[in-house]
Amino acid sequence: MNFLKEKGIPLENQLKTWHDIVKRPYNKDSVDCYTRTRQILMNGIETEAWGFKHCWVRKLDDLELKKQLVNIRRIEDMQQTTVNWMSPYKQSILDTTLGYEQVAVDLTSWLAQNEDDPYVKETFDFGLLEDFDHLYRYSQFANLIEETDPNEILHNQTDVIIGRPTQYHHNCNGLRIRKSYDAKKTSPKTKVNILTLISGEQQTHNYYAEHGFMYGNTDLKRLYAEICDVEEEHVTMYETLIDPNETMFEKWLIHEFTEACCYHNCYKDEVDDRIKLIWEELFQMELAHLQLAAKAYEKYEKKDPAEIIGETEVYPCHFESQKEYVKEILNKEVNKRVDINGSYNTVDKLDDSWRSYLIQETVSEKGAPSEQAINLSINTFNRDIAISDIGLVEKQDKLLTKSLEKTQAPNTISPNQYKEFNKIDSNSYLY
């Protein structure tokens, strides 16, 4: 489908009543896990589009263009409300958090495997193992605080075991800066893939920042603070892949194209007939926004918008189980780190002056909340939660040994402790 030739719902027909904006939420107990992930991602996609237009309007002195942007932005704000409020009120913050991390793991895996630029793919793979470990740490608290089996949310589609340990995700943020793509040489698919992942990670950061304090357990609050900080690093890592020389009109086109592609992707994949209709309507609305962006690009830059977004759609937000791919990257890259000048290295080759050591020593001086999550599970259940095939579970001690750095939080769980876990059924206390 060539989105530039599709008309969609005209902007003047997109204003809705409050009754139409606020839809009936999905059923927490029966919803497909990937309906939830689509809802979480599209909330982030709309928030990113809304924020982009706010930043641009603050710099504009063209009244006609400013009016057009704020009118579209109002509709996108309503769209974001519709999408965000699909979540039911009785879905707990931790339930939603597991959904956020399932988005991160399975979306990043999908994008990495469907990315043609090897440098961008490598960046995606690096971030993947960090989000994978976040899911593992939050799963401990979901069971400890709310007696939730993680698979009540994940539906057995995503493994829950150790990844690259979270305490090692805290880097000198300057090291996270990536080399920007060349907008003139980079495919629309790569641009859409990057913006999609930025939107998801940014929304994850915001959710943790806005909800982590809502639990009375101080250890859990600290875990939200710790992982929120990592999401800040992830946003830095992904957003610096973007060419800073892109014009605002180019960025606008890419934003609208990303929204349209994602909504169409959601529509095609959705298994809930009622929600499928919502995705279809929002897709038709975004087509009109894309048409307006394309006309503005032609008017102000005197160029063909197809040069920026091409003439075919891309598929940036398909969700399916990625267990095998995650396992492959886990085995290959758990000991990988970002070294000087943004290059990659392995733990055993890091120089003693590596700048991230100071960050890690400082923030984890009194213990890492991510390690405390496992400590609490040990004290309560005599082991951690590990949900995967037995072959991978039994490798947790080896994965940790490979990943350990010279700097360790004082409450770090040792490889020997993980080895002892393997003698006990990891699921025994969940049922």
Side-chain angles (χ1 to χ4, degrees):
M1 185 184 296
N2 184 348
F3 289 170
L4 290 171
K5 295 182 178 179
E6 302 292 327
K7 295 189 181 299
I9 300 171
L11 185 65
E12 58 269 21
N13 296 337
Q14 292 187 12
L15 198 64
K16 296 183 177 183
T17 70
W18 309 122
H19 293 77
D20 291 327
I21 291 168
V22 180
K23 308 287 189 182
R24 176 165 56 87
Y26 59 71
N27 186 314
K28 172 198 167 183
D29 299 321
S30 61
V31 67
D32 184 87
C33 68
Y34 288 138
T35 294
R36 182 188 288 107
T37 58
R38 282 186 280 272
Q39 178 265 332
I40 288 171
L41 175 63
M42 295 316 299
N43 183 27
I45 293 286
E46 287 292 0
T47 301
E48 163 62 29
W50 175 85
F52 164 74
K53 291 180 179 66
H54 265 292
C55 289
W56 192 7
V57 164
R58 292 169 192 176
K59 298 174 62 178
L60 271 177
D61 59 4
D62 183 315
L63 184 58
E64 179 186 353
L65 180 58
K66 188 178 291 189
K67 285 180 178 179
Q68 189 173 64
L69 288 169
V70 299
N71 286 332
I72 295 173
R73 192 179 69 205
R74 181 181 196 172
I75 299 298
E76 288 179 326
D77 182 55
M78 292 179 171
Q79 289 175 308
Q80 190 267 337
T81 299
T82 295
V83 174
N84 190 25
W85 292 4
M86 285 184 192
S87 294
Y89 77 93
K90 63 181 180 179
Q91 181 172 278
S92 75
I93 295 168
L94 273 168
D95 289 340
T96 306
T97 296
L98 296 185
Y100 267 88
E101 294 302 342
Q102 187 171 39
V103 170
V105 172
D106 290 349
L107 175 68
T108 309
S109 297
W110 167 259
L111 292 173
Q113 292 171 89
N114 289 276
E115 178 49 57
D116 300 327
D117 185 319
Y119 182 83
V120 174
K121 179 188 184 306
E122 186 175 28
T123 303
F124 289 174
D125 284 337
F126 186 81
L128 165 62
L129 293 191
E130 299 186 337
D131 287 315
F132 187 64
D133 196 71
H134 298 168
L135 176 62
Y136 171 68
R137 310 292 166 162
Y138 280 127
S139 293
Q140 318 298 326
F141 272 106
N143 186 244
L144 284 163
I145 301 294
E146 298 178 352
E147 299 182 339
T148 298
D149 174 350
N151 276 326
E152 292 173 18
I153 305 298
L154 307 175
H155 295 180
N156 296 294
Q157 298 303 303
T158 311
D159 285 334
V160 178
I161 66 162
I162 192 171
R164 182 182 299 121
T166 295
Q167 68 166 308
Y168 300 137
H169 302 176
H170 311 294
N171 287 262
C172 171
N173 221 6
L175 298 180
R176 290 276 190 172
I177 296 173
R178 303 290 87 203
K179 181 177 65 177
S180 302
Y181 62 66
D182 184 338
K184 295 180 180 178
K185 299 177 181 178
T186 299
S187 71
K189 181 170 77 169
T190 292
K191 296 174 184 178
V192 168
N193 285 348
I194 292 170
L195 186 57
T196 300
L197 196 49
I198 290 170
S199 301
E201 294 288 341
Q202 181 174 258
Q203 180 60 30
T204 303
H205 169 275
N206 294 346
Y207 186 81
Y208 296 169
E210 293 165 1
H211 293 82
F213 73 93
M214 293 181 177
Y215 282 101
N217 185 293
T218 302
D219 288 315
L220 180 52
K221 287 181 183 178
R222 288 171 178 159
L223 181 65
Y224 272 104
E226 180 179 13
I227 295 180
C228 183
D229 180 74
V230 181
E231 303 302 345
E232 154 64 19
E233 293 187 56
H234 283 186
V235 175
T236 295
M237 186 166 65
Y238 298 134
E239 72 185 1
T240 53
L241 288 167
I242 295 175
D243 187 341
N245 296 311
E246 286 176 343
T247 69
M248 295 301 283
F249 289 98
E250 288 178 74
K251 292 182 184 298
W252 184 17
L253 265 175
I254 295 166
H255 272 80
E256 300 299 352
F257 184 54
T258 299
E259 290 178 85
C261 287
C262 285
Y263 274 125
H264 197 231
N265 217 154
C266 289
Y267 165 73
K268 290 194 297 182
D269 289 352
E270 186 54 63
V271 295
D272 184 311
D273 290 339
R274 181 179 67 86
I275 293 177
K276 190 181 186 77
L277 292 174
I278 298 174
W279 298 140
E280 181 180 23
E281 181 182 35
L282 295 175
F283 166 61
Q284 294 294 333
M285 294 167 76
E286 288 301 338
L287 284 176
H289 300 175
L290 177 61
Q291 295 298 324
L292 292 172
K295 289 177 182 176
Y297 184 74
E298 291 173 336
K299 175 182 177 180
Y300 288 89
E301 301 215 346
K302 315 295 184 191
K303 296 177 183 177
D304 181 359
E307 295 176 7
I308 304 300
I309 62 172
E311 297 183 343
T312 57
E313 64 179 303
V314 297
Y315 303 95
C317 75
H318 175 67
F319 286 100
E320 63 183 46
S321 182
Q322 301 290 345
K323 290 183 179 182
E324 290 305 312
Y325 185 74
V326 174
K327 188 187 303 184
E328 174 192 341
I329 301 302
L330 186 62
N331 285 316
K332 285 170 48 180
E333 299 191 6
V334 72
N335 61 339
K336 197 172 185 178
R337 300 292 186 272
V338 184
D339 206 347
I340 56 173
N341 302 320
S343 61
Y344 293 103
N345 214 333
T346 52
V347 171
D348 57 309
K349 296 178 181 176
L350 293 173
D351 189 270
D352 287 346
S353 62
W354 186 48
R355 288 181 295 181
S356 295
Y357 282 143
L358 178 60
I359 306 294
Q360 293 167 9
E361 289 170 359
T362 300
V363 297
S364 297
E365 179 183 2
K366 297 180 180 179
S370 49
E371 295 295 320
Q372 184 67 0
I374 316 302
N375 274 293
L376 291 171
S377 282
I378 294 171
N379 292 336
T380 306
F381 303 115
N382 198 34
R383 68 151 300 141
D384 71 332
I385 287 179
I387 305 173
S388 179
D389 66 80
I390 190 64
L392 187 55
V393 171
E394 290 178 345
K395 292 179 68 174
Q396 284 192 110
D397 61 315
K398 296 179 178 63
L399 290 169
L400 180 58
T401 300
K402 189 176 178 181
S403 189
L404 281 174
E405 296 176 9
K406 70 169 191 175
T407 298
Q408 297 175 27
N411 61 339
T412 298
I413 305 301
S414 70
N416 282 338
Q417 286 175 291
Y418 277 99
K419 195 169 185 178
E420 288 298 311
F421 294 160
N422 294 331
K423 299 175 183 178
I424 307 167
D425 181 3
S426 64
N427 294 319
S428 62
Y429 59 85
L430 289 174
Y431 305 106

